[in-house]
Structure formats: structure tokens, C-alpha cells
Amino acid sequence: MSKAASRFAFVSSDTDDARAALESLSARYGQVPVAEAEIIIALGGDGFLLQTLRDTMSTGKKVYGMNRGTIGFLMNEYRAGGLEERIAAAVAETIRPLEMVAVTHDGESVSAPAINEVALWRQSYQTAKIRITVDGQVRLEELNCDGVMIATPAGSTAYNLSAHGPILPLDAPLLALTPVSPFRPRRWRGALLSNKATIRFDILEAEKRPVNAAADHTEVKAVASITVRESPTATATLLFDPNHSWNERILAEQFRY
């Protein structure tokens, strides 16, 4: 096993394809524990890659994803050969997650990071009523909607794009504030905010119109208020093949309509 290969820790999702790739690649290149590895090779889909990034947040480890899932927008193409050379040539992209602090009706406070987005959505058949405050100033007194989200540039091509939010370049110092099925004000299509902004959502008529919140896959039910900001300290680093960088994918996505 080469010195370069000894830096690799292979991890996989639970699908048959991902587990088979894990077995094949670890036999071919060697395997070290995640705690000792410089490079984490994540085998699966976008969801598994996000989980790997959360697990290795702020450790200095770099994550290189290869697609063994469905869509794999954040993943590199799966190829068993030439992995050491691909890693050596890869382009590193460092991202900062959002920090969500959600307070429930019972007064419980839940904190969680989000690499893609922090999203709120109605829990019942009635529309949610949400007040939106940015940096201490109320910007929207009452949004009637199915939901609303704050998306990072990394997450702007995920749920945010499905809700007709803008696609953001990875290096843009912006966050996308995007409503989901707004009823009133009906023509409000969201806003672009500085990545230094602090956003607060207050749930109006919370008992009658309950709302859930999620930071990526961390869900909190029956929230009363949610505060979101970009983390000033936490980071995660992704590696991309140079001919298929993240910025290139985001640019190409904007010309697919």
C-alpha cells in the first residue's frame, strides 16, 4: 500500500452499490480509520455526502465523494482506477454551514448545523403565518405560506431551486431567502441576503398553525421561533475533479431550462 493511499478512509451508505464499492476500493487502496485519515472517500448519494461533511466538520479532513446514489449533484463520477491521481489533482472547495437555533412551544432550544438549508413548513392543513426579521429589523410582518427557507450557495440547487429560488455561485457571499407556495404576499419571491445576516422567524398563531423546522436532516417539531446565521467558525472541505468543479456544475445548472 502506498503512502498516498494510506491517507484514505472509505465510508459508504447502506445501498448495495455503495457497500460493494467500499469493499472493492478499500481492498485496492487500503483503509485507515476515519480519525487517522487525511482524505475521506464518501460512496453514496448527496444525502450521505452531507452526513459525512457534518460528521467531519471542522476537523481539517477533506471529503471526496463518488456517486453510488441516485442524483449525485455534489458527487464526482465513480471510477475505481486512478484514485490517487484524481485526489492529487482535485480542486478543494471550503464551505461554511448555517447554524440553526430553534425554540419549541415548550421552551426547549435545539441547535443544529445546515450545509444546504434551514427550512420551515406547515405541520397541518392550514397555512403557516411567519414573521421574518433580518438583523433585528422586521422585514415581513406576516408571510402566509406553506413554508420558507434560508439556503446557502451549496444548497441553492437543492430544495431552494425546487421552490423557484435563485442559484448562487459557491463563492457568493449571499444566502437565499425563499418562500414555499406563498399565499400572502402572493407576489413575494424571496430575497438575497448577506451571508453575515442573522435571520429570525417567529411563528404566528403557533398553536392553531403549527410549524416544523429542519436544518438539513435535523428536524424540530412545533417550533415557536428559529434563528439562523452562518457559522463564524465551522468549515467543511469538499474535493472535486477539476473538469467537473462545483462552480461549473452550478453554472451549467442555470442553462438547463
Side-chain angles (χ1 to χ4, degrees), residues 71-113:
I71 298 175
F73 183 83
L74 303 177
M75 312 297 278
N76 298 291
E77 179 185 353
Y78 178 77
R79 294 198 306 272
L83 184 57
E84 294 177 26
E85 293 77 12
R86 291 175 73 184
I87 295 295
V91 177
E93 301 280 6
T94 298
I95 59 176
R96 290 191 181 276
L98 299 174
E99 293 178 347
M100 177 189 78
V101 178
V103 179
T104 69
H105 295 319
D106 299 329
E108 179 186 5
S109 180
V110 180
S111 300

mmCIF file of all heavy atoms in Angstrom, residues 71-113:
data_model
loop_
_atom_site.group_PDB
_atom_site.id
_atom_site.type_symbol
_atom_site.label_atom_id
_atom_site.label_comp_id
_atom_site.label_asym_id
_atom_site.label_seq_id
_atom_site.Cartn_x
_atom_site.Cartn_y
_atom_site.Cartn_z
ATOM 1 N N ILE A 71 -28.956 10.886 -7.674
ATOM 2 C CA ILE A 71 -28.684 12.111 -8.425
ATOM 3 C C ILE A 71 -27.195 12.445 -8.389
ATOM 4 O O ILE A 71 -26.551 12.602 -9.410
ATOM 5 C CB ILE A 71 -29.515 13.285 -7.874
ATOM 6 C CG1 ILE A 71 -31.014 12.973 -8.034
ATOM 7 C CG2 ILE A 71 -29.156 14.581 -8.595
ATOM 8 C CD1 ILE A 71 -31.929 13.997 -7.413
ATOM 9 N N GLY A 72 -26.647 12.583 -7.208
ATOM 10 C CA GLY A 72 -25.222 12.808 -7.079
ATOM 11 C C GLY A 72 -24.734 14.141 -7.601
ATOM 12 O O GLY A 72 -23.645 14.231 -8.162
ATOM 13 N N PHE A 73 -25.508 15.217 -7.402
ATOM 14 C CA PHE A 73 -25.096 16.532 -7.883
ATOM 15 C C PHE A 73 -23.780 16.962 -7.245
ATOM 16 O O PHE A 73 -22.953 17.616 -7.875
ATOM 17 C CB PHE A 73 -26.188 17.567 -7.590
ATOM 18 C CG PHE A 73 -25.874 18.939 -8.112
ATOM 19 C CD1 PHE A 73 -26.121 19.275 -9.432
ATOM 20 C CD2 PHE A 73 -25.319 19.901 -7.282
ATOM 21 C CE1 PHE A 73 -25.819 20.537 -9.925
ATOM 22 C CE2 PHE A 73 -25.012 21.165 -7.766
ATOM 23 C CZ PHE A 73 -25.264 21.482 -9.087
ATOM 24 N N LEU A 74 -23.592 16.619 -5.982
ATOM 25 C CA LEU A 74 -22.389 17.018 -5.264
ATOM 26 C C LEU A 74 -21.244 16.025 -5.412
ATOM 27 O O LEU A 74 -20.167 16.239 -4.863
ATOM 28 C CB LEU A 74 -22.709 17.161 -3.763
ATOM 29 C CG LEU A 74 -23.829 18.122 -3.383
ATOM 30 C CD1 LEU A 74 -24.055 18.095 -1.888
ATOM 31 C CD2 LEU A 74 -23.518 19.522 -3.859
ATOM 32 N N MET A 75 -21.469 14.951 -6.144
ATOM 33 C CA MET A 75 -20.511 13.853 -6.196
ATOM 34 C C MET A 75 -19.677 13.881 -7.467
ATOM 35 O O MET A 75 -20.096 14.399 -8.499
ATOM 36 C CB MET A 75 -21.242 12.510 -6.115
ATOM 37 C CG MET A 75 -22.275 12.407 -5.007
ATOM 38 S SD MET A 75 -21.577 12.552 -3.373
ATOM 39 C CE MET A 75 -20.999 10.875 -3.120
ATOM 40 N N ASN A 76 -18.484 13.291 -7.379
ATOM 41 C CA ASN A 76 -17.676 13.020 -8.563
ATOM 42 C C ASN A 76 -18.128 11.705 -9.192
ATOM 43 O O ASN A 76 -18.773 10.867 -8.541
ATOM 44 C CB ASN A 76 -16.202 12.937 -8.174
ATOM 45 C CG ASN A 76 -15.677 14.235 -7.597
ATOM 46 O OD1 ASN A 76 -15.539 15.222 -8.298
ATOM 47 N ND2 ASN A 76 -15.396 14.248 -6.302
ATOM 48 N N GLU A 77 -17.783 11.520 -10.438
ATOM 49 C CA GLU A 77 -18.114 10.280 -11.129
ATOM 50 C C GLU A 77 -17.388 9.108 -10.472
ATOM 51 O O GLU A 77 -16.229 9.235 -10.063
ATOM 52 C CB GLU A 77 -17.696 10.380 -12.596
ATOM 53 C CG GLU A 77 -17.975 9.137 -13.424
ATOM 54 C CD GLU A 77 -17.436 9.248 -14.834
ATOM 55 O OE1 GLU A 77 -16.964 10.344 -15.196
ATOM 56 O OE2 GLU A 77 -17.467 8.230 -15.559
ATOM 57 N N TYR A 78 -18.090 7.983 -10.379
ATOM 58 C CA TYR A 78 -17.459 6.802 -9.793
ATOM 59 C C TYR A 78 -16.571 6.108 -10.812
ATOM 60 O O TYR A 78 -17.005 5.736 -11.899
ATOM 61 C CB TYR A 78 -18.509 5.804 -9.292
ATOM 62 C CG TYR A 78 -17.865 4.541 -8.733
ATOM 63 C CD1 TYR A 78 -17.293 4.544 -7.472
ATOM 64 C CD2 TYR A 78 -17.793 3.385 -9.502
ATOM 65 C CE1 TYR A 78 -16.676 3.412 -6.967
ATOM 66 C CE2 TYR A 78 -17.168 2.245 -9.004
ATOM 67 C CZ TYR A 78 -16.614 2.265 -7.732
ATOM 68 O OH TYR A 78 -15.988 1.144 -7.244
ATOM 69 N N ARG A 79 -15.304 5.970 -10.456
ATOM 70 C CA ARG A 79 -14.354 5.160 -11.216
ATOM 71 C C ARG A 79 -13.398 4.541 -10.216
ATOM 72 O O ARG A 79 -12.887 5.228 -9.325
ATOM 73 C CB ARG A 79 -13.561 5.987 -12.238
ATOM 74 C CG ARG A 79 -14.378 6.574 -13.357
ATOM 75 C CD ARG A 79 -13.501 7.006 -14.548
ATOM 76 N NE ARG A 79 -12.427 7.898 -14.155
ATOM 77 C CZ ARG A 79 -12.526 9.229 -14.080
ATOM 78 N NH1 ARG A 79 -13.693 9.811 -14.353
ATOM 79 N NH2 ARG A 79 -11.500 9.974 -13.744
ATOM 80 N N ALA A 80 -13.136 3.253 -10.363
ATOM 81 C CA ALA A 80 -12.277 2.562 -9.400
ATOM 82 C C ALA A 80 -10.807 2.884 -9.621
ATOM 83 O O ALA A 80 -10.025 2.954 -8.669
ATOM 84 C CB ALA A 80 -12.498 1.052 -9.484
ATOM 85 N N GLY A 81 -10.406 3.107 -10.863
ATOM 86 C CA GLY A 81 -8.993 3.290 -11.175
ATOM 87 C C GLY A 81 -8.526 4.727 -11.031
ATOM 88 O O GLY A 81 -9.318 5.676 -11.098
ATOM 89 N N GLY A 82 -7.223 4.892 -10.813
ATOM 90 C CA GLY A 82 -6.607 6.207 -10.805
ATOM 91 C C GLY A 82 -7.027 7.122 -9.679
ATOM 92 O O GLY A 82 -6.958 8.351 -9.813
ATOM 93 N N LEU A 83 -7.424 6.559 -8.552
ATOM 94 C CA LEU A 83 -7.971 7.382 -7.481
ATOM 95 C C LEU A 83 -6.916 8.303 -6.877
ATOM 96 O O LEU A 83 -7.201 9.470 -6.583
ATOM 97 C CB LEU A 83 -8.580 6.499 -6.394
ATOM 98 C CG LEU A 83 -9.278 7.225 -5.240
ATOM 99 C CD1 LEU A 83 -10.384 8.122 -5.765
ATOM 100 C CD2 LEU A 83 -9.840 6.222 -4.234
ATOM 101 N N GLU A 84 -5.709 7.806 -6.684
ATOM 102 C CA GLU A 84 -4.659 8.647 -6.103
ATOM 103 C C GLU A 84 -4.381 9.853 -6.987
ATOM 104 O O GLU A 84 -4.206 10.975 -6.489
ATOM 105 C CB GLU A 84 -3.388 7.823 -5.899
ATOM 106 C CG GLU A 84 -3.543 6.723 -4.861
ATOM 107 C CD GLU A 84 -2.279 5.877 -4.753
ATOM 108 O OE1 GLU A 84 -1.194 6.402 -5.068
ATOM 109 O OE2 GLU A 84 -2.377 4.709 -4.361
ATOM 110 N N GLU A 85 -4.339 9.643 -8.301
ATOM 111 C CA GLU A 85 -4.100 10.741 -9.226
ATOM 112 C C GLU A 85 -5.260 11.736 -9.220
ATOM 113 O O GLU A 85 -5.045 12.951 -9.300
ATOM 114 C CB GLU A 85 -3.879 10.201 -10.646
ATOM 115 C CG GLU A 85 -2.599 9.398 -10.827
ATOM 116 C CD GLU A 85 -2.685 7.978 -10.262
ATOM 117 O OE1 GLU A 85 -3.813 7.530 -9.921
ATOM 118 O OE2 GLU A 85 -1.623 7.330 -10.162
ATOM 119 N N ARG A 86 -6.473 11.241 -9.142
ATOM 120 C CA ARG A 86 -7.642 12.129 -9.102
ATOM 121 C C ARG A 86 -7.639 12.987 -7.837
ATOM 122 O O ARG A 86 -7.942 14.190 -7.887
ATOM 123 C CB ARG A 86 -8.935 11.313 -9.179
ATOM 124 C CG ARG A 86 -9.159 10.660 -10.526
ATOM 125 C CD ARG A 86 -10.390 9.766 -10.490
ATOM 126 N NE ARG A 86 -11.635 10.541 -10.468
ATOM 127 C CZ ARG A 86 -12.845 9.992 -10.351
ATOM 128 N NH1 ARG A 86 -12.958 8.665 -10.227
ATOM 129 N NH2 ARG A 86 -13.922 10.747 -10.357
ATOM 130 N N ILE A 87 -7.313 12.384 -6.714
ATOM 131 C CA ILE A 87 -7.260 13.134 -5.461
ATOM 132 C C ILE A 87 -6.177 14.205 -5.531
ATOM 133 O O ILE A 87 -6.366 15.351 -5.098
ATOM 134 C CB ILE A 87 -7.000 12.191 -4.276
ATOM 135 C CG1 ILE A 87 -8.181 11.219 -4.089
ATOM 136 C CG2 ILE A 87 -6.759 12.991 -3.002
ATOM 137 C CD1 ILE A 87 -9.469 11.860 -3.691
ATOM 138 N N ALA A 88 -5.018 13.856 -6.086
ATOM 139 C CA ALA A 88 -3.909 14.809 -6.177
ATOM 140 C C ALA A 88 -4.276 16.014 -7.044
ATOM 141 O O ALA A 88 -3.812 17.134 -6.795
ATOM 142 C CB ALA A 88 -2.671 14.115 -6.729
ATOM 143 N N ALA A 89 -5.104 15.810 -8.056
ATOM 144 C CA ALA A 89 -5.470 16.886 -8.982
ATOM 145 C C ALA A 89 -6.755 17.603 -8.581
ATOM 146 O O ALA A 89 -7.135 18.601 -9.209
ATOM 147 C CB ALA A 89 -5.641 16.312 -10.395
ATOM 148 N N ALA A 90 -7.433 17.131 -7.545
ATOM 149 C CA ALA A 90 -8.752 17.654 -7.190
ATOM 150 C C ALA A 90 -8.686 19.099 -6.713
ATOM 151 O O ALA A 90 -7.688 19.559 -6.145
ATOM 152 C CB ALA A 90 -9.386 16.777 -6.116
ATOM 153 N N VAL A 91 -9.782 19.805 -6.946
ATOM 154 C CA VAL A 91 -9.942 21.188 -6.507
ATOM 155 C C VAL A 91 -10.702 21.197 -5.181
ATOM 156 O O VAL A 91 -11.756 20.564 -5.052
ATOM 157 C CB VAL A 91 -10.714 22.008 -7.555
ATOM 158 C CG1 VAL A 91 -10.956 23.436 -7.070
ATOM 159 C CG2 VAL A 91 -9.969 22.009 -8.884
ATOM 160 N N ALA A 92 -10.164 21.914 -4.200
ATOM 161 C CA ALA A 92 -10.793 21.977 -2.878
ATOM 162 C C ALA A 92 -11.754 23.161 -2.795
ATOM 163 O O ALA A 92 -11.429 24.266 -3.236
ATOM 164 C CB ALA A 92 -9.733 22.083 -1.796
ATOM 165 N N GLU A 93 -12.948 22.923 -2.248
ATOM 166 C CA GLU A 93 -13.930 23.975 -2.006
ATOM 167 C C GLU A 93 -14.295 23.937 -0.520
ATOM 168 O O GLU A 93 -14.786 22.922 -0.025
ATOM 169 C CB GLU A 93 -15.192 23.755 -2.846
ATOM 170 C CG GLU A 93 -14.965 23.725 -4.350
ATOM 171 C CD GLU A 93 -14.844 25.107 -4.952
ATOM 172 O OE1 GLU A 93 -14.826 26.086 -4.179
ATOM 173 O OE2 GLU A 93 -14.776 25.200 -6.191
ATOM 174 N N THR A 94 -14.037 25.031 0.183
ATOM 175 C CA THR A 94 -14.343 25.104 1.610
ATOM 176 C C THR A 94 -15.642 25.881 1.799
ATOM 177 O O THR A 94 -15.800 26.978 1.255
ATOM 178 C CB THR A 94 -13.205 25.772 2.386
ATOM 179 O OG1 THR A 94 -12.022 24.984 2.238
ATOM 180 C CG2 THR A 94 -13.541 25.864 3.874
ATOM 181 N N ILE A 95 -16.545 25.324 2.558
ATOM 182 C CA ILE A 95 -17.848 25.939 2.777
ATOM 183 C C ILE A 95 -18.100 26.112 4.272
ATOM 184 O O ILE A 95 -17.500 25.421 5.107
ATOM 185 C CB ILE A 95 -18.987 25.097 2.162
ATOM 186 C CG1 ILE A 95 -19.007 23.680 2.763
ATOM 187 C CG2 ILE A 95 -18.853 25.036 0.647
ATOM 188 C CD1 ILE A 95 -20.138 22.830 2.277
ATOM 189 N N ARG A 96 -18.989 27.058 4.596
ATOM 190 C CA ARG A 96 -19.403 27.277 5.984
ATOM 191 C C ARG A 96 -20.884 26.910 6.111
ATOM 192 O O ARG A 96 -21.703 27.346 5.305
ATOM 193 C CB ARG A 96 -19.198 28.728 6.402
ATOM 194 C CG ARG A 96 -17.735 29.120 6.539
ATOM 195 C CD ARG A 96 -17.602 30.481 7.202
ATOM 196 N NE ARG A 96 -16.212 30.868 7.318
ATOM 197 C CZ ARG A 96 -15.413 30.494 8.309
ATOM 198 N NH1 ARG A 96 -15.885 29.719 9.271
ATOM 199 N NH2 ARG A 96 -14.155 30.888 8.347
ATOM 200 N N PRO A 97 -21.232 26.141 7.113
ATOM 201 C CA PRO A 97 -22.637 25.787 7.302
ATOM 202 C C PRO A 97 -23.414 26.912 7.980
ATOM 203 O O PRO A 97 -22.825 27.869 8.513
ATOM 204 C CB PRO A 97 -22.558 24.572 8.228
ATOM 205 C CG PRO A 97 -21.346 24.856 9.070
ATOM 206 C CD PRO A 97 -20.361 25.524 8.131
ATOM 207 N N LEU A 98 -24.714 26.794 7.945
ATOM 208 C CA LEU A 98 -25.581 27.643 8.761
ATOM 209 C C LEU A 98 -25.697 27.052 10.163
ATOM 210 O O LEU A 98 -25.533 25.848 10.366
ATOM 211 C CB LEU A 98 -26.968 27.734 8.134
ATOM 212 C CG LEU A 98 -27.062 28.340 6.737
ATOM 213 C CD1 LEU A 98 -28.489 28.213 6.203
ATOM 214 C CD2 LEU A 98 -26.608 29.785 6.734
ATOM 215 N N GLU A 99 -25.995 27.919 11.116
ATOM 216 C CA GLU A 99 -26.326 27.482 12.472
ATOM 217 C C GLU A 99 -27.793 27.803 12.732
ATOM 218 O O GLU A 99 -28.210 28.950 12.608
ATOM 219 C CB GLU A 99 -25.467 28.205 13.504
ATOM 220 C CG GLU A 99 -23.999 27.857 13.470
ATOM 221 C CD GLU A 99 -23.199 28.640 14.498
ATOM 222 O OE1 GLU A 99 -23.738 29.615 15.061
ATOM 223 O OE2 GLU A 99 -22.038 28.289 14.740
ATOM 224 N N MET A 100 -28.573 26.795 13.062
ATOM 225 C CA MET A 100 -29.974 26.992 13.422
ATOM 226 C C MET A 100 -30.144 26.832 14.926
ATOM 227 O O MET A 100 -29.626 25.872 15.512
ATOM 228 C CB MET A 100 -30.874 25.970 12.725
ATOM 229 C CG MET A 100 -32.351 26.074 13.128
ATOM 230 S SD MET A 100 -33.393 24.707 12.512
ATOM 231 C CE MET A 100 -32.956 23.390 13.691
ATOM 232 N N VAL A 101 -30.848 27.776 15.532
ATOM 233 C CA VAL A 101 -31.293 27.626 16.918
ATOM 234 C C VAL A 101 -32.815 27.719 16.899
ATOM 235 O O VAL A 101 -33.371 28.781 16.594
ATOM 236 C CB VAL A 101 -30.693 28.698 17.835
ATOM 237 C CG1 VAL A 101 -31.226 28.510 19.258
ATOM 238 C CG2 VAL A 101 -29.166 28.633 17.822
ATOM 239 N N ALA A 102 -33.464 26.605 17.181
ATOM 240 C CA ALA A 102 -34.931 26.549 17.181
ATOM 241 C C ALA A 102 -35.436 26.433 18.609
ATOM 242 O O ALA A 102 -34.909 25.636 19.397
ATOM 243 C CB ALA A 102 -35.413 25.354 16.353
ATOM 244 N N VAL A 103 -36.444 27.223 18.932
ATOM 245 C CA VAL A 103 -37.084 27.166 20.250
ATOM 246 C C VAL A 103 -38.491 26.629 20.066
ATOM 247 O O VAL A 103 -39.266 27.152 19.257
ATOM 248 C CB VAL A 103 -37.114 28.554 20.922
ATOM 249 C CG1 VAL A 103 -37.801 28.473 22.279
ATOM 250 C CG2 VAL A 103 -35.696 29.113 21.077
ATOM 251 N N THR A 104 -38.828 25.569 20.792
ATOM 252 C CA THR A 104 -40.138 24.942 20.670
ATOM 253 C C THR A 104 -41.162 25.636 21.559
ATOM 254 O O THR A 104 -40.834 26.499 22.380
ATOM 255 C CB THR A 104 -40.065 23.460 21.045
ATOM 256 O OG1 THR A 104 -39.826 23.351 22.462
ATOM 257 C CG2 THR A 104 -38.942 22.750 20.288
ATOM 258 N N HIS A 105 -42.437 25.212 21.412
ATOM 259 C CA HIS A 105 -43.503 25.741 22.273
ATOM 260 C C HIS A 105 -43.209 25.488 23.740
ATOM 261 O O HIS A 105 -43.604 26.276 24.605
ATOM 262 C CB HIS A 105 -44.842 25.086 21.916
ATOM 263 C CG HIS A 105 -45.329 25.419 20.543
ATOM 264 N ND1 HIS A 105 -45.242 26.672 20.011
ATOM 265 C CD2 HIS A 105 -45.909 24.644 19.589
ATOM 266 C CE1 HIS A 105 -45.752 26.671 18.782
ATOM 267 N NE2 HIS A 105 -46.142 25.443 18.499
ATOM 268 N N ASP A 106 -42.539 24.401 24.033
ATOM 269 C CA ASP A 106 -42.242 24.039 25.420
ATOM 270 C C ASP A 106 -41.004 24.726 25.965
ATOM 271 O O ASP A 106 -40.587 24.459 27.095
ATOM 272 C CB ASP A 106 -42.070 22.518 25.543
ATOM 273 C CG ASP A 106 -43.335 21.762 25.158
ATOM 274 O OD1 ASP A 106 -44.431 22.316 25.369
ATOM 275 O OD2 ASP A 106 -43.218 20.632 24.645
ATOM 276 N N GLY A 107 -40.376 25.572 25.155
ATOM 277 C CA GLY A 107 -39.206 26.298 25.616
ATOM 278 C C GLY A 107 -37.892 25.574 25.421
ATOM 279 O O GLY A 107 -36.829 26.075 25.814
ATOM 280 N N GLU A 108 -37.923 24.409 24.782
ATOM 281 C CA GLU A 108 -36.689 23.673 24.521
ATOM 282 C C GLU A 108 -35.932 24.340 23.370
ATOM 283 O O GLU A 108 -36.516 24.719 22.359
ATOM 284 C CB GLU A 108 -36.994 22.226 24.156
ATOM 285 C CG GLU A 108 -35.752 21.397 23.849
ATOM 286 C CD GLU A 108 -36.078 20.004 23.353
ATOM 287 O OE1 GLU A 108 -37.278 19.701 23.157
ATOM 288 O OE2 GLU A 108 -35.129 19.216 23.161
ATOM 289 N N SER A 109 -34.623 24.469 23.526
ATOM 290 C CA SER A 109 -33.784 25.047 22.491
ATOM 291 C C SER A 109 -32.968 23.950 21.820
ATOM 292 O O SER A 109 -32.302 23.169 22.495
ATOM 293 C CB SER A 109 -32.848 26.100 23.099
ATOM 294 O OG SER A 109 -32.028 26.684 22.111
ATOM 295 N N VAL A 110 -33.028 23.900 20.490
ATOM 296 C CA VAL A 110 -32.319 22.874 19.712
ATOM 297 C C VAL A 110 -31.415 23.565 18.710
ATOM 298 O O VAL A 110 -31.871 24.389 17.917
ATOM 299 C CB VAL A 110 -33.309 21.947 18.981
ATOM 300 C CG1 VAL A 110 -32.550 20.888 18.177
ATOM 301 C CG2 VAL A 110 -34.274 21.297 19.961
ATOM 302 N N SER A 111 -30.126 23.227 18.740
ATOM 303 C CA SER A 111 -29.161 23.796 17.796
ATOM 304 C C SER A 111 -28.705 22.723 16.825
ATOM 305 O O SER A 111 -28.531 21.560 17.208
ATOM 306 C CB SER A 111 -27.947 24.366 18.540
ATOM 307 O OG SER A 111 -28.327 25.382 19.439
ATOM 308 N N ALA A 112 -28.503 23.106 15.561
ATOM 309 C CA ALA A 112 -28.048 22.142 14.560
ATOM 310 C C ALA A 112 -27.417 22.890 13.402
ATOM 311 O O ALA A 112 -27.836 23.999 13.052
ATOM 312 C CB ALA A 112 -29.205 21.290 14.058
ATOM 313 N N PRO A 113 -26.387 22.297 12.766
ATOM 314 C CA PRO A 113 -25.793 22.900 11.574
ATOM 315 C C PRO A 113 -26.560 22.504 10.326
ATOM 316 O O PRO A 113 -27.245 21.480 10.290
ATOM 317 C CB PRO A 113 -24.383 22.300 11.564
ATOM 318 C CG PRO A 113 -24.574 20.933 12.153
ATOM 319 C CD PRO A 113 -25.661 21.080 13.190
#
